[in-house]
Amino acid sequence: QVQLVESGGGSVQSGGSLRLSCTVSRFTYVNYCMGWFRQAPGKEREGVARIFNDGRTIYADSVKGRFTISQDNAKNTLYLQMNSLKPEDTAMYYCAAQSYSLACYRAPYDYNYRSQGTQVTVSS
């Protein structure tokens, strides 16, 4: 069974940085997509970033230039480096994974495999 386990959430002041990690196990697809999404209380889920097995990345406009998604295949780990954090980035963050299909062109919250989530809080 595919398992995604996150780490790295926490509290930070506005302008600060955090790096989220997502260790993926028993995910053996050669062609795939992975991503991050978030949900704040009272708000809809928002796809944040996606990465494909060939290294292509896609970002939400709200995080472009501030967040970077990357992967370390040797460590089976997905990362989200978050810089210049703003209070509006406060949310529960989730990682997700999907074997390559048309679903990869939808938001990561629609992917087959998702993590439990980690809280990110940015104070002003």
Side-chain angles (χ1 to χ4, degrees), residues 61-80:
D61 287 343
S62 58
V63 306
K64 271 182 187 174
R66 301 188 299 123
F67 289 13
T68 302
I69 187 171
S70 63
Q71 57 188 343
D72 185 333
N73 291 332
K75 295 182 179 179
N76 295 324
T77 301
L78 179 71
Y79 299 101
L80 185 69

Side-chain angles (χ1 to χ4, degrees), residues 101-122:
S101 71
L102 290 177
C104 287
Y105 297 94
R106 297 198 291 264
Y109 48 76
D110 279 341
Y111 291 178
N112 279 349
Y113 307 107
R114 297 178 292 275
S115 67
Q116 301 271 49
T118 188
Q119 178 67 36
V120 171
T121 302
V122 185

Side-chain angles (χ1 to χ4, degrees), residues 49-68:
R50 284 174 272 165
I51 188 166
F52 293 77
N53 58 280
D54 61 4
R56 286 178 292 148
T57 56
I58 299 173
Y59 294 93
D61 287 343
S62 58
V63 306
K64 271 182 187 174
R66 301 188 299 123
F67 289 13
T68 302

Side-chain angles (χ1 to χ4, degrees), residues 7-124:
S7 61
S11 297
V12 65
Q13 289 194 324
S14 182
S17 298
L18 283 174
R19 187 175 80 158
L20 304 183
S21 300
C22 175
T23 301
V24 184
S25 57
R26 294 184 285 278
F27 185 78
T28 57
Y29 299 100
V30 174
N31 298 311
Y32 60 84
C33 53
M34 295 187 182
W36 296 89
F37 66 96
R38 64 188 181 186
Q39 186 160 26
K43 294 187 178 180
E44 293 187 356
R45 290 175 300 182
E46 179 188 16
V48 173
R50 284 174 272 165
I51 188 166
F52 293 77
N53 58 280
D54 61 4
R56 286 178 292 148
T57 56
I58 299 173
Y59 294 93
D61 287 343
S62 58
V63 306
K64 271 182 187 174
R66 301 188 299 123
F67 289 13
T68 302
I69 187 171
S70 63
Q71 57 188 343
D72 185 333
N73 291 332
K75 295 182 179 179
N76 295 324
T77 301
L78 179 71
Y79 299 101
L80 185 69
Q81 177 67 43
M82 304 184 293
N83 298 329
S84 303
L85 282 161
K86 305 175 182 179
E88 51 263 44
D89 294 317
T90 295
M92 188 74 78
Y93 282 72
Y94 303 84
C95 58
Q98 168 77 46
S99 58
Y100 183 77
S101 71
L102 290 177
C104 287
Y105 297 94
R106 297 198 291 264
Y109 48 76
D110 279 341
Y111 291 178
N112 279 349
Y113 307 107
R114 297 178 292 275
S115 67
Q116 301 271 49
T118 188
Q119 178 67 36
V120 171
T121 302
V122 185
S123 57
S124 56

